[in-house]
């Protein structure tokens, strides 16, 4: 954000109930509700007509749902460590665990997602930085506030048909500039199979493979995103008719 602040308008939103955002009344944290919220923010509130999307993890399907249903708004996409299709065997096992009573206890009583899973997916520098850990924990101070970290993984499998709807429309973005960034230490979303699947949809995409990065590529290698976005901006400037 700091590096590109003079080159483009930059918007970083929180999903409801995370970051600094409030939780709407009667909000169930399903990915469909998050996708609806993203659409409302981007198209109805901010009234953005053309934009580049940068997505990672659940930011992928929740924003790609918007993108694939409004492809004319998309100038380009940067996609990193995410998915938009039916869960593989490992992800299905992960999802099913969060439907158990033990998972509920771990989430609500021990803030399991932040204090255990998040730390496992961070590099040592970030994991040893108390300010960073405090920032993540700040958003989830009470058992009730941690509901989203239980619901999201459940819906990796519960929302299978919704994922398939997104996957069926991924090709609508293939004629746009696409940048793919993968942290290869992330065995679930940065593995060869996941990389190959994204490349099958976007064969013309530029690909950055980060051998020393895990899940949080935007934190571990922010320069890769700067590079990708500058490449898209340059392409758009060279082809002004696309804007």
């Amino acid at each position: 954000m700091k590096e590109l602040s003079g080159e483009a308008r930059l918007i970083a939103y929180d999903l409801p109930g995370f970051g600094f955002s409030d939780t709407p009344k009667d909000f169930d944290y399903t990915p469909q509700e998050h996708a609806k919220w993203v659409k409302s923010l981007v198209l109805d509130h901010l009234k953005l007509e053309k934009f580049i999307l940068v997505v990672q993890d659940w930011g992928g399907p929740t924003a790609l749902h918007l993108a694939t249903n409004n492809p004319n708004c998309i100038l380009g996409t940067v996609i990193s460590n995410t998915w938009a299709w039916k869960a593989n065997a490992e992800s299905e096992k992960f999802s099913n665990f969060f439907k158990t009573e033990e998972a509920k206890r771990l989430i609500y009583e021990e803030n399991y997602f932040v204090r255990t899973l998040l730390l496992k997916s961070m590099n040592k520098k970030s994991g040893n930085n108390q300010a960073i850990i405090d920032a993540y924990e700040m958003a989830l101070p009470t058992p009730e506030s941690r509901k989203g970290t239980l619901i999201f993984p459940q819906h990796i499998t519960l929302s299978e048909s919704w994922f398939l709807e997104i996957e069926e429309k991924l090709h609508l973005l293939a004629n746009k500039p696409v940048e793919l960034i993968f942290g290869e230490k992330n065995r679930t979303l940065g593995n060869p199979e996941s990389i190959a699947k994204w490349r099958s949809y976007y064969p013309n995409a530029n690909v950055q493979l980060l051998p020393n990065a895990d899940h949080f590529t935007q934190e571990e290698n922010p320069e890769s995103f700067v590079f990708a976005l500058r490449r898209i901006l340059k392409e758009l400037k060279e082809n002004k008719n696309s804007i």
Side-chain angles (χ1 to χ4, degrees), residues 36-196:
K36 184 178 180 181
W37 182 91
V38 172
K39 176 181 179 293
S40 179
L41 172 72
V42 174
L43 298 185
D44 302 331
H45 180 67
L46 295 175
K47 300 186 185 301
L48 302 182
E49 296 180 357
K50 299 282 186 178
F51 48 90
I52 299 169
L53 273 179
V54 181
V55 303
Q56 186 264 347
D57 198 88
W58 275 102
T62 54
L64 289 172
H65 183 271
L66 163 68
T68 54
N69 283 290
N70 300 273
N72 291 334
C73 295
I74 306 302
L75 294 173
T77 54
V78 179
I79 298 171
S80 181
N81 284 17
T82 188
W83 81 108
W85 42 73
K86 180 181 177 180
N88 59 23
E90 186 174 354
S91 295
E92 185 174 348
K93 183 179 178 180
F94 177 80
S95 178
N96 288 335
F97 168 71
F98 284 90
K99 300 171 188 175
T100 67
E101 290 301 316
E102 174 62 9
K104 292 179 183 178
R105 186 192 68 77
L106 289 170
I107 289 290
Y108 290 126
E109 294 181 16
E110 300 182 21
N111 202 2
Y112 178 70
F113 222 98
V114 172
R115 294 176 183 167
T116 301
L117 295 182
L118 197 69
L119 287 174
K120 285 183 178 179
S121 300
M122 280 186 178
N123 59 36
K124 289 184 179 180
K125 182 179 179 181
S126 298
N128 291 328
N129 187 328
Q130 192 59 45
I132 291 177
I133 303 305
D134 289 346
Y136 282 108
E137 289 194 348
M138 172 274 300
L140 309 168
T142 65
E144 295 76 18
S145 67
R146 298 167 193 159
K147 181 179 178 180
T149 65
L150 181 70
I151 300 300
F152 257 149
Q154 291 178 352
H155 276 268
I156 293 172
T157 50
L158 292 178
S159 291
E160 182 178 300
S161 60
W162 182 75
F163 279 105
L164 292 174
E165 289 176 14
I166 300 173
E167 184 180 11
E168 289 175 356
K169 296 180 180 180
L170 287 176
H171 69 278
L172 297 177
L173 306 176
N175 64 336
K176 319 277 186 178
V178 176
E179 297 276 338
L180 300 174
I181 302 172
F182 299 101
E184 293 185 286
K185 285 188 175 181
N186 185 195
R187 65 180 187 179
T188 304
L189 299 175
N191 60 52
E193 293 75 21
S194 180
I195 294 170

Side-chain angles (χ1 to χ4, degrees), residues 186-221:
N186 185 195
R187 65 180 187 179
T188 304
L189 299 175
N191 60 52
E193 293 75 21
S194 180
I195 294 170
K197 191 149 189 174
W198 280 115
R199 296 186 80 166
S200 72
Y201 285 108
Y202 305 120
N204 298 320
N206 293 306
V207 181
Q208 296 184 65
L209 302 179
L210 310 178
N212 296 317
D214 202 313
H215 185 59
F216 297 101
T217 45
Q218 69 274 44
E219 182 173 306
E220 297 189 31
N221 287 85

